[in-house]
Amino acid sequence: MAGSYGVENPQNERYRLSFTVGGLLALQGKILATLFVENEREYMAPDVEPTNGATDTDHEIGERITRIRKQAVEENVLSIRTRSANSRVVSEVLKRLSALTETEIHYLADDDTPASDRQALMWVAMCRYYALVGEFANEVLRERYLMGFSTLTKDDYDRFIQAQSMWHPELEELSALTAGKLRSNVFKAMSEAELWEKESDTLLPSLLSKSVTAILENRPESFRFFPTRER
């Protein structure tokens, strides 16, 4: 579906609001990134020419990531019990991976990549694919860290959503159940990315590795998704 893959344009009239599944999905992201890399020769010829001087490796994967969807579902590479759940999780992970660059995908797939680096890249993927999550990370998570606050609560999230709903009425149209799932998944993802501690609501400063920092230099706006003074 056109417009369903790649980085979400924050200027879109409506947010993508389908992040009701799985939290960070770091392990699943690694598995599907590996499958993508293993099948690279078949589909890595660029479908879209890089723009603004970007190199192939700087260009986001976009809809090309979906070429492994059928194989991932049929072979149940994520080892999920039911086909419907398997299909749903595969689709969600592929959407997020579509917002990463080829360099990022390759690093995510590398067996030698530390788990913490994979977590960081999957948080970047979630923030890029879902503009609402990225804006929350920048305007609330990171901003609270820079202002010296030590905690991040669900009330902070609720206030952010209330403010955003002035420009995005689709947020007010969400059922209480769906809104709750979205909030829970954001906080679950932050916990799994080791950016937030669940029991105490403690905000955890991000210490990005040299490898991740070097990779994100090509997309420096991604640093704003983390509670860090980088950039």
Side-chain angles (χ1 to χ4, degrees), residues 48-223:
V48 181
E49 289 296 324
T51 58
N52 299 324
T55 66
D56 288 353
T57 55
D58 290 338
H59 203 267
E60 69 191 53
I61 295 296
E63 198 164 358
R64 281 183 290 149
I65 195 72
T66 62
R67 295 176 182 174
I68 63 169
R69 184 183 185 281
K70 182 178 179 181
Q71 180 184 355
V73 172
E74 290 184 350
E75 296 181 6
N76 193 17
V77 297
L78 299 184
S79 301
I80 296 174
R81 182 175 300 178
T82 68
R83 184 177 179 86
S84 60
N86 181 35
S87 179
R88 186 165 60 250
V89 174
V90 166
S91 293
E92 177 62 23
V93 176
L94 293 183
K95 287 177 181 178
R96 298 186 193 184
L97 293 182
S98 75
L100 296 180
T101 67
E102 292 178 16
T103 296
E104 292 162 349
I105 287 283
H106 277 258
Y107 188 64
L108 183 65
D110 194 325
D111 288 336
D112 293 330
T113 298
S116 58
D117 286 5
R118 292 197 189 106
Q119 291 162 3
L121 286 179
M122 287 304 291
W123 176 245
V124 168
M126 187 175 185
C127 290
R128 286 183 189 164
Y129 186 78
Y130 294 109
L132 179 65
V133 179
E135 290 169 4
F136 172 74
N138 179 32
E139 298 175 22
V140 183
L141 172 66
R142 185 169 187 264
E143 191 63 23
R144 285 185 66 80
Y145 169 74
L146 293 176
M147 293 177 66
F149 292 105
S150 61
T151 61
L152 176 68
T153 70
K154 292 182 179 179
D155 286 341
D156 295 318
Y157 175 89
D158 290 342
R159 283 190 288 270
F160 168 77
I161 294 298
Q162 185 175 16
Q164 296 304 101
S165 67
M166 295 179 62
W167 294 276
H168 289 272
E170 68 271 19
L171 294 173
E172 294 184 327
E173 297 167 5
L174 294 171
S175 68
L177 179 61
T178 299
K181 286 182 178 180
L182 295 176
R183 184 179 68 176
S184 293
N185 254 325
V186 170
F187 278 82
K188 181 179 181 182
M190 287 193 297
S191 176
E192 292 171 347
E194 299 182 5
L195 304 175
W196 174 77
E197 205 283 314
K198 180 178 180 180
E199 300 303 322
S200 61
D201 286 335
T202 300
L203 193 160
L204 304 175
S206 182
L207 300 175
L208 298 174
S209 72
K210 290 183 179 179
S211 296
V212 169
T213 298
I215 289 171
L216 295 183
E217 290 283 358
N218 292 319
R219 296 285 182 94
E221 69 277 6
S222 299
F223 289 110

